[in-house]
Amino acid sequence: MYKDIATPIRTKEILEKYGFSFKKSLGQNFLIDPNILRNIVSHAHLTEISGAIEVGPGIGALTEHLAREAKKVVSFEIDQRLLPVLEDTLSPYENVTIVHSDILKADVVKVIEEEMPGIDDIMVVANLPYYVTTPILMKLLNDRLPIRGFVVMMQKEVADRITAQPGTKAYGSLSIAIQYYCTAEVAMVVPKTVFMPQPNVDSAVIRLIKHDTPPVQVIDEDFLFEVSRASFAQRRKTILNNLQTGLVNGKQNKEFIIKALEEAGIDPTRRGETLSIQEFGKLADCLHPQFCVRQ
């Protein structure tokens, strides 16, 4: 049985051995509590025939727990300084592959095809860098990866926005974009004290399970997200005002926007935060003929 990487003493030993210093620009905060890591992995429901994709393995704290549960683990690490560290700390695990790449630029589908042939159950499980959480999630969702879903740590404020429901303060275009692709729930809240160095914000782990089909069928997915972003541009404004200012040529098309809102059964004086994803879907389809050149 190997010693866990994620203890304060072992983490300090590894960092000192390699003279590693944290880079704020990469959002590096390493987990130092094995119980938290086991809990995170448990929410992914991995089996001996599962695959796991990780983003930002750090020194391998979460990676080793994934390796103990899954058939194959592929971790994307952008920081070249960590490659020799990971080669050392993860040497006991033959089912781990480290890919030195920026996940935002990587061809993840190709990596899955090469590294996980025959594996049908794949989850993304990661302690995401907080400064690029949303771009990473949206990239992986837009890439249409052959995965079951995500169990990922992020800033609690972002987790609240992703899982928010209509009519709440946290609800916004990010809620709609993520919930278009997945069911979303907060799996656990994580205290600052289990990180090295400690972040300035609270953290949470969310579980996202991909829909077989989206909760709403629309003419153009990209335009749906464009409409939702425009609708939340200024939260205190009505949806009519926001669409006028947020959509290209919106001011010149006020009458058409009013007509589209009426056709979708939406009062122009409502605010974006009160609309469900189904209402946004109807609205996007009604606005599409006038505003969207993509066919």
Side-chain angles (χ1 to χ4, degrees):
M1 189 66 182
Y2 303 105
K3 290 191 300 180
D4 282 328
I5 293 167
T7 65
I9 292 173
R10 181 104 195 275
T11 299
K12 285 178 183 176
E13 285 175 354
I14 294 167
L15 297 178
E16 288 172 6
K17 177 180 178 181
Y18 287 91
F20 183 83
S21 57
F22 294 95
K23 273 190 179 178
K24 267 192 175 182
S25 62
L26 295 178
Q28 291 171 329
N29 301 92
F30 297 165
L31 281 159
I32 53 172
D33 187 326
N35 291 323
I36 294 287
L37 290 163
R38 280 190 284 272
N39 205 351
I40 292 170
V41 174
S42 72
H43 286 291
H45 302 299
L46 301 173
T47 71
E48 67 277 358
I49 61 171
S50 299
I53 297 168
E54 186 187 14
V55 181
I59 60 173
L62 176 59
T63 322
E64 71 171 353
H65 285 271
L66 293 170
R68 291 169 186 172
E69 300 294 329
K71 180 177 182 179
K72 179 70 180 185
V73 181
V74 176
S75 293
F76 291 83
E77 178 53 62
I78 193 173
D79 190 348
Q80 188 169 358
R81 300 174 304 153
L82 286 167
L83 300 184
V85 183
L86 289 163
E87 188 177 352
D88 177 8
T89 59
L90 298 175
S91 59
Y93 306 99
E94 295 182 355
N95 59 337
V96 175
T97 297
I98 303 298
V99 179
H100 178 217
S101 176
D102 180 350
I103 190 68
L104 292 173
K105 298 175 182 176
D107 186 341
V108 184
V109 172
K110 184 180 179 183
V111 172
I112 290 174
E113 290 172 352
E114 292 175 351
E115 298 291 340
M116 297 182 177
I119 297 180
D120 297 322
D121 180 58
I122 302 172
M123 289 288 286
V124 174
V125 187
N127 173 19
L128 294 176
Y130 290 1
Y131 72 107
V132 283
T133 295
T134 300
I136 289 173
L137 279 177
M138 294 312 301
K139 179 245 189 326
L140 297 180
L141 286 167
N142 289 329
D143 282 357
R144 312 290 188 185
L145 303 183
I147 62 173
R148 174 161 48 92
F150 303 74
V151 173
V152 285
M153 176 115 64
M154 61 187 62
Q155 187 174 336
K156 186 176 181 297
E157 180 187 340
V158 178
D160 290 341
R161 285 165 53 203
I162 285 174
T163 58
Q165 297 301 308
T168 61
K169 193 175 180 181
Y171 184 68
S173 57
L174 179 61
S175 320
I176 294 158
I178 298 290
Q179 292 170 33
Y180 178 80
Y181 294 108
C182 307
T183 60
E185 64 175 343
V186 174
M188 55 189 286
V189 176
V190 182
K192 301 175 186 178
T193 52
V194 300
F195 293 92
M196 180 188 295
Q198 290 189 21
N200 297 321
V201 296
D202 292 325
S203 303
V205 174
I206 66 165
R207 178 167 52 206
L208 306 173
I209 302 300
K210 286 178 66 179
H211 296 302
D212 292 330
T213 55
V216 59
Q217 300 296 313
V218 291
I219 298 169
D220 187 322
E221 293 176 1
D222 290 337
F223 188 59
L224 165 65
F225 303 143
E226 192 177 318
V227 169
S228 69
R229 283 193 299 270
S231 301
F232 288 95
Q234 296 186 57
R235 295 187 72 92
R236 294 190 177 187
K237 287 197 171 184
T238 65
I239 190 163
L240 173 59
N241 284 336
N242 270 333
L243 290 173
Q244 280 184 262
T245 56
L247 292 176
V248 176
N249 297 322
K251 289 191 185 300
Q252 297 95 305
N253 287 279
K254 180 179 178 181
E255 294 308 314
F256 185 86
I257 294 173
I258 293 172
K259 181 183 174 184
L261 285 163
E262 290 173 352
E263 192 179 335
I266 298 166
D267 187 329
T269 64
R270 285 174 64 183
R271 293 177 179 174
E273 67 203 54
T274 68
L275 271 66
S276 67
I277 190 170
Q278 287 78 14
E279 288 178 305
F280 273 114
K282 287 181 187 175
L283 177 58
D285 281 357
C286 293
L287 290 167
H288 189 274
Q290 185 78 6
F291 287 95
C292 192
V293 294
R294 297 181 294 274
Q295 299 296 334

